[in-house]
Amino acid sequence: MAEEDDSQVTTVPAEVAPEETQEPREGKNKNLKARLTELEEAAKAEKARAEDVFKRLQYLQADFENYRRRTEKDLSDARRFGNERLLSDLLVVNDEMELALEKARESGENPVFLEGVEMVLKRISGILAKEGVERIPGVGTLYTPELQEAALKAPSEEEDGTIIEEIRRGYTLKGRVLRPSIVKVAEKAPSEEVSREESEK
């Protein structure tokens, strides 16, 4: 008998079936649903937070736009009305020069002196006009509280509220009152019939 060679015979081990270590499907689904719910709530919270931040940004942007407009307006006004105090002081000088010229004419001053004062007055008026200073209409116009201050009321045949005398001239600077006029305003005199009725009583 022939000897069999054991060395060449190899045995293949049978595959071992893996043991089931996974959770049942129901438990897995519950965990997934819980995680999904948790993520949805987190997403809602983040969405609400994002909307809040967005609203804040919109408010900040609106505030910044308002600030920018206000700053531009302030700068524009500063450029436009920056000389207001200086021009007010120049109006006082203008008034004094007009008064000096009037008194010099009344007293019969030297014509050369009068001519010099007129030249200075004309120069001051030119500067005021160049800067946008305009005279407020006076005698013969109706009293306007925004432009004039009524110092006195006097009986007159003029329409009630008409300016009958200008005590101090008023001026505007580019449409804004620089110095209001001081005026005397007409007041209707009571008619003779009314005064007779009162005297009879």
Side-chain angles (χ1 to χ4, degrees):
M1 238 175 95
E3 292 182 27
E4 290 183 16
D5 190 8
D6 289 338
S7 63
Q8 294 198 5
V9 176
T10 56
T11 56
V12 177
E15 286 187 23
V16 179
E19 294 180 13
E20 295 237 357
T21 57
Q22 300 174 352
E23 294 178 16
R25 281 194 173 189
E26 286 179 19
K28 193 174 185 181
N29 285 344
K30 282 182 185 177
N31 286 343
L32 286 175
K33 284 181 182 179
R35 181 73 178 138
L36 183 62
T37 305
E38 187 181 309
L39 289 173
E40 284 174 350
E41 286 174 8
K44 283 179 187 176
E46 284 300 315
K47 184 178 179 184
R49 191 171 151 269
E51 286 173 357
D52 183 51
V53 170
F54 182 68
K55 281 181 186 175
R56 286 183 188 180
L57 284 173
Q58 285 180 319
Y59 287 133
L60 281 172
Q61 186 177 13
D63 285 347
F64 179 74
E65 282 299 313
N66 292 337
Y67 170 76
R68 187 181 59 77
R69 282 192 206 109
R70 193 169 48 250
T71 303
E72 284 176 1
K73 184 185 180 304
D74 290 347
L75 285 172
S76 172
D77 287 351
R79 278 188 230 111
R80 191 172 177 195
F81 302 110
N83 296 332
E84 194 170 323
R85 192 174 60 87
L86 178 64
L87 293 171
S88 292
D89 292 343
L90 199 54
L91 285 175
V92 174
V93 174
N94 187 60
D95 292 345
E96 290 170 354
M97 292 298 288
E98 285 177 348
L99 184 62
L101 185 62
E102 185 183 319
K103 296 298 178 188
R105 282 185 181 142
E106 287 174 5
S107 65
E109 281 290 331
N110 185 338
V112 176
F113 174 75
L114 288 174
E115 190 178 328
V117 173
E118 284 174 352
M119 286 172 61
V120 172
L121 191 57
K122 190 183 251 186
R123 181 72 177 226
I124 292 170
S125 297
I127 291 168
L128 291 170
K130 187 176 90 176
E131 291 298 320
V133 176
E134 295 177 359
R135 187 167 171 229
I136 295 172
V139 177
T141 62
L142 286 176
Y143 169 70
T144 310
E146 295 82 25
L147 302 174
Q148 293 116 356
E149 292 177 5
L152 298 165
K153 284 190 174 185
S156 173
E157 293 180 10
E158 295 287 333
E159 182 184 345
D160 199 30
T162 302
I163 297 170
I164 53 175
E165 186 182 335
E166 194 172 37
I167 299 165
R168 184 188 74 184
R169 290 181 182 170
Y171 295 88
T172 59
L173 173 61
K174 297 177 183 174
R176 194 164 96 176
V177 176
L178 181 60
R179 183 178 83 180
S181 305
I182 297 177
V183 296
K184 187 187 284 186
V185 181
E187 187 176 50
K188 276 283 185 189
S191 65
E192 290 178 13
E193 292 174 12
V194 173
S195 59
R196 280 183 196 162
E197 286 176 14
E198 288 177 359
S199 62
E200 288 174 6
K201 288 180 182 177

